[in-house]
Amino acid sequence: MEAIRENRNERIDSIKFWLVVLVIAGHVFSQNTFKNSFLCRVSWEWIYMFHMPLFVFISGYFSHKKSNKAFIYSILKLLEPLILFQCIFLCFIYKGEKTILVIVTPQWILWYLLSLIYWRTLLQFIPSKLLQNKKTVIIITFIIGILAGFLPFNRLLSLQRTFSFLPFFFLGYYMKGKSLSRFSKYKYLCMLFLIITLIIPYYYSKYLGDLNQADPYGSIYGMYSRIFIYGISIPMSISFIILCPNRPYFSKQGRYTMQYYIYHALIVIWLVATIQKYNLPNSFVAALLYTILITLFIWLLSYLPHFEKSTNPSEFLLKKNKSEKHTQI
């Protein structure tokens, strides 16, 4: 999710922006405040059928083997917001007992940062010779993702999600340098397909299983659900990519997906408390409006100086130390 400065692909940045808007919408729709809204439930399930697989795919698309120094730096850039906001969640938001298991379980949205660390570490240390066998790696990762649901991995250390989304990371990695919108002439078919897929959560919600893919299967049917989600998420992702509007102001915001991802969660928590306190509207239309307002608010924040560094406070210290050293010289 972090911004990539060099050789930015504006098309990909636009996709990242619209994906993070879906993340915001999904987290708004999933709140208990909107549990009585049938449309919120359908919308949430539709979003979760493909948006995280696609986000993981994009992360893989931007990942590559690095020098040891660059790799360590990239991991530290992810560890810093993970530890910082884990502390914020545990100290100010989480109300339960602070056991060791709770402390090492990423709170809510933070699982993605830990999983991304795992995926990039795995990519860094897999022998290049093995990585050249693309089909073998993809098949193995899909098998791992399917079988992981039978293992006692859950939200602890984000292990279940790490394994279940693993194939999408490597799919993205192997698509590096290839066009993600080569079928743009089929826009209307893609739009029709995404509309048709709404039928699944509308009528067949009970067959979708754990769309969070955060816990082991409850039964053998969980495996069938995961296989189905693997299958349907790929054409849905392709369709979404093709339909994403590509404008400079969207691509610019796509550089800040880390900040959108972190800060929207804090805003959603505050929003839910405010809705309950003042008995504000909790309909589907209201949820859509709240999603738009949260997005616009963070958009405005992005114009603040150093907004991109706000999730990595150490960068301010490093910059300060560098300037002091330069002054001394």
Side-chain angles (χ1 to χ4, degrees):
M1 281 185 194
E2 72 256 44
I4 307 295
R5 294 182 179 282
E6 59 278 1
N7 300 322
R8 294 204 70 97
N9 185 321
E10 290 192 356
R11 176 69 181 160
I12 302 298
D13 280 336
S14 291
I15 293 168
K16 286 170 62 183
F17 169 73
W18 289 109
L19 269 175
V20 85
V21 171
L22 285 187
V23 170
I24 297 171
H27 286 153
V28 171
F29 294 150
S30 65
Q31 298 303 308
N32 286 333
T33 306
F34 304 102
K35 65 182 179 181
N36 293 326
S37 170
F38 176 73
L39 288 178
C40 279
R41 194 268 299 165
V42 169
S43 300
W44 178 84
E45 290 181 345
W46 181 82
I47 288 170
Y48 272 71
M49 284 168 62
F50 76 96
H51 86 305
M52 286 317 300
L54 181 51
F55 231 136
V56 176
F57 174 91
I58 296 295
S59 292
Y61 187 86
F62 279 122
S63 297
H64 56 276
K65 283 181 174 289
K66 305 175 180 179
S67 67
N68 290 335
K69 186 176 180 180
F71 168 70
I72 292 171
Y73 175 74
S74 67
I75 295 301
L76 290 176
K77 268 196 87 173
L78 291 170
L79 267 177
E80 184 178 14
L82 171 60
I83 294 172
L84 173 63
F85 287 94
Q86 176 80 345
C87 291
I88 290 173
F89 271 97
L90 290 175
C91 293
F92 302 105
I93 298 169
Y94 182 78
K95 304 299 182 184
E97 185 182 355
K98 311 302 193 294
T99 64
I100 294 296
L101 291 179
V102 169
I103 291 171
V104 297
T105 300
Q107 294 293 303
W108 196 15
I109 60 162
L110 298 177
W111 70 268
Y112 195 90
L113 302 184
L114 183 55
S115 290
L116 188 52
I117 290 171
Y118 291 147
W119 295 323
R120 290 191 170 169
T121 302
L122 182 61
L123 175 63
Q124 183 72 11
F125 291 103
I126 287 182
S128 298
K129 198 169 184 179
L130 178 58
L131 276 176
Q132 292 171 5
N133 300 313
K134 299 180 182 180
K135 289 183 180 178
T136 302
V137 172
I138 294 300
I139 291 171
I140 289 174
T141 55
F142 270 107
I143 292 173
I144 290 173
I146 292 168
L147 295 182
F150 292 108
L151 301 174
F153 301 136
N154 52 25
R155 295 168 194 254
L156 177 67
L157 293 171
S158 190
L159 292 174
Q160 187 65 229
R161 280 166 162 156
T162 297
F163 289 119
S164 61
F165 289 116
L166 180 64
F168 297 100
F169 179 82
F170 279 96
L171 280 173
Y173 172 75
Y174 286 125
M175 281 294 292
K176 190 187 311 295
K178 297 178 182 178
S179 173
L180 297 186
S181 54
R182 64 179 67 180
F183 304 113
S184 55
K185 60 182 177 181
Y186 300 113
K187 270 190 176 182
Y188 293 109
L189 280 177
C190 291
M191 186 181 298
L192 179 62
F193 172 71
L194 287 179
I195 292 171
I196 291 173
T197 56
L198 282 167
I199 293 172
I200 299 170
Y202 196 93
Y203 289 107
Y204 304 105
S205 174
K206 64 181 180 179
Y207 299 112
L208 290 176
D210 176 22
L211 289 172
N212 283 305
Q213 300 195 31
D215 298 297
Y217 301 140
S219 67
I220 189 66
Y221 297 106
M223 181 186 74
Y224 301 145
S225 296
R226 183 168 293 183
I227 293 172
F228 173 74
I229 293 301
Y230 278 175
I232 195 68
S233 65
I234 293 174
M236 288 182 74
S237 295
I238 293 171
S239 298
F240 182 80
I241 287 171
I242 291 170
L243 291 173
C244 273
N246 182 20
R247 299 288 185 275
Y249 38 88
F250 294 143
S251 64
K252 182 181 178 182
Q253 292 303 307
R255 303 176 185 187
Y256 306 127
T257 45
M258 171 71 84
Q259 289 70 37
Y260 273 88
Y261 189 74
I262 295 291
Y263 293 132
H264 91 272
L266 302 176
I267 298 172
V268 168
I269 292 169
W270 170 84
L271 173 67
V272 169
T274 303
I275 292 171
Q276 293 172 345
K277 183 176 181 179
Y278 295 103
N279 198 27
L280 298 178
N282 58 356
S283 64
F284 172 71
V285 174
L288 275 179
L289 180 60
Y290 298 142
T291 299
I292 294 170
L293 290 175
I294 291 171
T295 303
L296 290 176
F297 179 70
I298 302 177
W299 188 312
L300 290 174
L301 288 180
S302 72
Y303 289 97
L304 294 175
H306 309 299
F307 177 69
E308 193 174 348
K309 297 179 182 177
S310 61
T311 49
N312 289 91
S314 65
E315 293 201 8
F316 291 102
L317 297 175
L318 290 172
K319 187 176 180 181
K320 183 180 178 182
N321 289 336
K322 284 181 181 178
S323 62
E324 287 176 353
K325 196 179 276 188
H326 179 74
T327 304
Q328 290 171 3
I329 291 171

